Amino acid sequence: MANLEVKWDDEARVVRFNTFLGATLKRAKSGLVRAGFVVERQIKKNLSGKRTPGNPYPGWVTTRLRTSVTSQASSDGMIVSIGPNVEYAAIHEFGGRTGRGGKTIIPARPYVKPAWKQSRTKIIDIMRKAVAGKAE
């Protein structure tokens, strides 16, 4: 592991540097929250509308699944968790066997992973602007 050690004799520079780091971290945390909302909206969009050959997402899903999608920051603001919180969400994302004796097979109909891919450019843009101090 690499270590970084900065030595300054000028106390004022140390204070300014620490202030800069604190402000940058605060902006990055704010950017993470905004990026989480972008992905949350995309997941919900993927779960909306009719399922057609051009729209592989399970648009037939219940309102309960769609409204269970949330984004929430950790207490320190360094992690944002995004996704549904209903018990049957994973079976739609990954597919699998369900029902009595596992006789019902549900095909995978991903809606979370594609949302990450669809939101990638926007997330990068949000984080770049946040760290640079450019409000969106």
Side-chain angles (χ1 to χ4, degrees), residues 82-96:
I82 308 154
N85 61 13
V86 292
E87 63 280 355
Y88 55 87
I91 196 83
H92 291 294
E93 178 78 13
F94 304 110

Side-chain angles (χ1 to χ4, degrees), residues 6 11-12 27 30 37 39 42 46-47 49-50 72 81 92 99 110 116-118 120 123 127:
V6 178
E11 187 65 30
R27 290 191 306 265
S30 175
F37 287 136
V39 178
Q42 186 62 52
N46 290 352
L47 290 171
K50 289 187 176 183
Q72 181 163 352
S81 300
H92 291 294
W116 279 105
K117 290 180 181 180
Q118 293 162 322
R120 184 177 187 276
I123 292 168
M127 293 307 297

Side-chain angles (χ1 to χ4, degrees), residues 16-29 130-131 133:
R16 284 195 310 265
F17 183 71
N18 285 337
T19 301
F20 166 77
L21 287 179
T24 302
L25 184 59
K26 185 176 180 181
R27 290 191 306 265
K29 290 177 182 181
V131 171

Side-chain angles (χ1 to χ4, degrees), residues 16 18 21 37 54 60 65 67 74-75 80 120 136:
R16 284 195 310 265
N18 285 337
L21 287 179
F37 287 136
W60 46 263
L65 176 57
T67 58
S74 62
S75 60
V80 175
R120 184 177 187 276
E136 199 171 78

Side-chain angles (χ1 to χ4, degrees), residues 1-126:
M1 178 175 10
N3 291 319
L4 173 66
E5 188 174 324
V6 178
K7 290 186 180 181
W8 278 322
D9 292 334
D10 183 355
E11 187 65 30
R13 284 186 183 169
V14 172
V15 170
R16 284 195 310 265
F17 183 71
N18 285 337
T19 301
F20 166 77
L21 287 179
T24 302
L25 184 59
K26 185 176 180 181
R27 290 191 306 265
K29 290 177 182 181
S30 175
L32 279 174
V33 171
R34 286 196 310 274
F37 287 136
V38 167
V39 178
E40 177 185 338
R41 280 193 304 270
Q42 186 62 52
I43 293 170
K44 289 178 178 180
K45 182 178 177 184
N46 290 352
L47 290 171
S48 300
K50 289 187 176 183
R51 185 161 186 235
T52 63
N55 177 17
Y57 308 111
W60 46 263
V61 299
T62 64
T63 301
R64 182 174 175 219
L65 176 57
R66 190 171 34 258
T67 58
S68 77
V69 176
T70 61
S71 58
Q72 181 163 352
S74 62
S75 60
D76 65 0
M78 297 301 292
I79 299 171
V80 175
S81 300
I82 308 154
N85 61 13
V86 292
E87 63 280 355
Y88 55 87
I91 196 83
H92 291 294
E93 178 78 13
F94 304 110
R97 294 181 172 274
T98 188
R100 293 186 181 151
K103 294 179 182 177
T104 304
I105 299 172
I106 295 181
R109 293 172 284 212
Y111 53 95
V112 175
K113 188 174 181 180
W116 279 105
K117 290 180 181 180
Q118 293 162 322
S119 303
R120 184 177 187 276
T121 303
K122 182 73 172 166
I123 292 168
I124 291 169
D125 187 51
I126 287 169

